[in-house]
Amino acid sequence: MSEKLAIDGGTPVLKRSDYSNWPIITDDDRRFIDEVLDSGIVAGGTAPQVAAFEQEWAGYVGAKHCLTTTSGTAALHMALAAVGVGPGDEIITSAFTFLASASCALHQNAIPMFVDIDPRTYNMDPARLEAAITERTKAIIPVHIQGLPADLDPIMAIARKHNLSVIEDACQAHGAEYRGRKVGSIGDIGAFSLNNFKNLCGGEGGLFVTDSETYLQKGVLVRCFGDEIDEVSHRRVYNASILGYMYRNQELPAALARGQLLHLDEHNAVRIANAEYLSRELGKIPGVIPPHCPPDSKHVYFMYNVRFDPQAAGLDCEPRRFRIAVEKALYKEGVLVGQWQTMPVPAQDIFQSKLGYGGSSYPWSINEAKGIRYDYNVDNFPVAKMLCDTYTVVHGIHAPNGKALMDQIVTAFHKVFGNLDQALAHADAAIYPGADSKLYGAG
Ligand SMILES: *Cc1c(COP(=O)(O)O)cnc(C)c1O
């Protein structure tokens, strides 16, 4: 059943117009945004939409307290400040994540450390965690990668044993569940992002979630200049008691996120149905490895990725080259595929150069001056490296895309895998797979 691939001038299986964008705007968004415009109140840490959304999100994840922030990165930084991380402390996160899971440590003058991932879940491997802990370790930031909860029970147990804080980076996992509990509510603090790609969108923004009254109070201070509030008048007193930042969000993102929250479960259900359908169908193709979800987790598929295995496809080809060839051929068939992270985070230039504040070696120099060496050798993260060589993201699994689009994607995969020799002939062609700039949803 040899067919001419689109990469060889054949007809592509999909058109760009077969894809719908993310997020989906509904009348609920319009209603809340109209409330903002009608109220004339556009900002303020205790303004009505912000206050309502904080309560609604705390209720949704089952946490006592929530603070809205300007971004997920801000929420992570606030969390480190709230648990008392200081200069030279070490913070452990996953080697396969977005930069912000690690750069938040640098923002607090602390030093990011990385743990390799589990080859099936792509989340921090708890079996490797203890080896990364030193007397300087202060906190662990497990990341619920691509919407799949990290294995929190062993991570929490190790953290408690060593008296470390756990900050969940739940920026990709709104509504995901670990052993029956919503992520973000399990560690000491949870951080979510509301940027336009994420499962819950406010345009931009973030959420800081905790059960702890102490961390809440610290979070309130850090979020707004470290400025104390008068207990009687509830006004700012313009007397900063601690170092703070300006991480307060405003009414319009909160209003949009409230409207989106009314549809989060329904939209997550679409992602899950699309992902499970793709996994069932693509899993039948030798050489395609769908994502794994442990039975006691609810994966919300912020991103859907597959890995490619040339041997299983019956080819003697270097795995990275095979992935690149298949990715290019799929892309030419009209499938929006392409990589998100192209390397483990510790391989990024900032960690290789260890140049931080003002181009100096600070904050690493705090401990290096005492003879401690930081070596972000990528060979220490072989599983994350293997994943980055062999995976691609299959975009477009979010609502309102459904089975019709998934079927076309499956057809294109069959077409490419039925003609791998043609695909491999173009491995070095100048083709750049990825979501185009008009597909705003990453997942
Ligand atoms: C998106 C994201 C962040 C940062 O969120 P922003 O709101 O863009 O600052 C942090 N960690 C992970 C894993 C993310 O995917």
Side-chain angles (χ1 to χ4, degrees), residues 70-74 76 97-98 100-101 143 145 169 171-172 192-195 198 204-206 302 340:
T70 45
S71 68
T73 306
L76 286 166
T97 181
F98 178 63
S101 317
V143 185
I145 203 72
D169 183 340
C171 288
Q172 302 189 350
F192 294 87
S193 166
L194 297 174
N195 84 25
K198 304 294 162 80
E204 294 281 6
F302 165 61
W340 172 59

Side-chain angles (χ1 to χ4, degrees), residues 95-411:
F96 182 69
T97 181
F98 178 63
L99 175 70
S101 317
S103 59
C104 62
L106 297 175
H107 296 158
Q108 195 60 16
N109 298 327
I111 295 162
M113 308 286 280
F114 297 92
V115 170
D116 205 2
I117 56 172
D118 177 290
R120 293 191 77 194
T121 64
Y122 313 144
N123 272 315
M124 172 188 285
D125 184 350
R128 298 169 194 254
L129 174 56
E130 236 168 345
I133 295 173
T134 74
E135 64 207 6
R136 297 169 297 279
T137 308
K138 191 74 186 230
I140 304 167
I141 306 182
V143 185
H144 307 302
I145 203 72
Q146 301 185 326
L148 177 67
D151 194 2
L152 284 181
D153 279 352
I155 293 172
M156 292 299 293
I158 292 166
R160 293 298 172 249
K161 179 175 151 198
H162 295 270
N163 197 21
L164 307 173
S165 301
V166 173
I167 291 153
E168 291 176 69
D169 183 340
C171 288
Q172 302 189 350
H174 313 72
E177 291 174 22
Y178 178 75
R179 299 188 176 161
R181 293 170 71 188
K182 288 260 186 351
V183 301
S185 68
I186 301 168
D188 296 293
I189 300 174
F192 294 87
S193 166
L194 297 174
N195 84 25
N196 61 331
F197 298 112
K198 304 294 162 80
N199 289 31
L200 183 66
C201 167
E204 294 281 6
L207 296 156
F208 167 109
V209 166
T210 187
D211 277 345
S212 153
E213 183 71 27
T214 310
Y215 296 153
L216 170 72
Q217 294 313 333
K218 267 284 175 58
V220 167
L221 282 177
V222 172
R223 183 171 69 165
C224 190
F225 305 105
D227 204 354
E228 291 289 339
I229 309 284
D230 183 80
E231 274 176 30
V232 180
S233 69
H234 300 292
R235 294 205 180 115
R236 275 166 68 187
V237 295
Y238 297 95
N239 176 21
S241 60
I242 63 168
L243 179 62
Y245 305 88
M246 203 328 105
Y247 286 161
R248 192 177 61 201
N249 210 339
Q250 34 142 350
E251 288 288 84
L252 285 168
L256 177 56
R258 289 185 77 194
Q260 294 283 316
L261 177 54
L262 293 176
H263 300 271
L264 176 61
D265 287 341
E266 162 198 335
H267 290 160
N268 277 346
V270 172
R271 287 177 189 265
I272 293 166
N274 284 338
E276 289 182 348
Y277 183 74
L278 281 184
S279 289
R280 209 160 45 242
E281 293 304 317
L282 299 180
K284 294 174 189 166
I285 303 173
V288 180
I289 305 167
H292 170 71
C293 178
D296 50 4
S297 283
K298 179 178 175 181
H299 193 326
V300 292
Y301 296 99
F302 165 61
M303 272 187 219
Y304 180 86
N305 72 21
V306 291
R307 286 203 298 113
F308 299 121
D309 176 356
Q311 269 197 321
L315 282 175
D316 180 20
C317 175
E318 197 266 312
R320 181 180 162 81
R321 186 175 173 77
F322 182 71
R323 184 264 299 169
I324 290 169
V326 169
E327 210 172 36
K328 286 179 179 176
L330 285 168
Y331 187 63
K332 281 294 186 182
E333 294 299 336
V335 186
L336 292 177
V337 289
Q339 289 206 307
W340 172 59
Q341 301 298 303
T342 59
M343 61 183 109
V345 174
Q348 293 194 32
D349 286 351
I350 180 162
F351 298 109
Q352 294 302 306
S353 69
K354 290 185 282 177
L355 293 180
Y357 288 90
S360 78
S361 57
Y362 191 90
W364 292 276
S365 56
I366 299 168
N367 294 335
E368 291 203 323
K370 300 177 202 155
I372 295 148
R373 293 290 303 158
Y374 293 99
D375 174 15
Y376 297 104
N377 184 345
V378 195
D379 295 339
N380 295 333
F381 312 100
V383 185
K385 177 80 171 54
M386 173 283 296
L387 175 62
C388 290
D389 283 341
T390 57
Y391 90 98
T392 198
V393 177
V394 180
H395 294 282
I397 64 147
H398 56 77
N401 297 315
K403 188 165 175 297
L405 180 68
M406 300 308 117
D407 275 331
Q408 286 174 293
I409 292 172
V410 171
T411 301

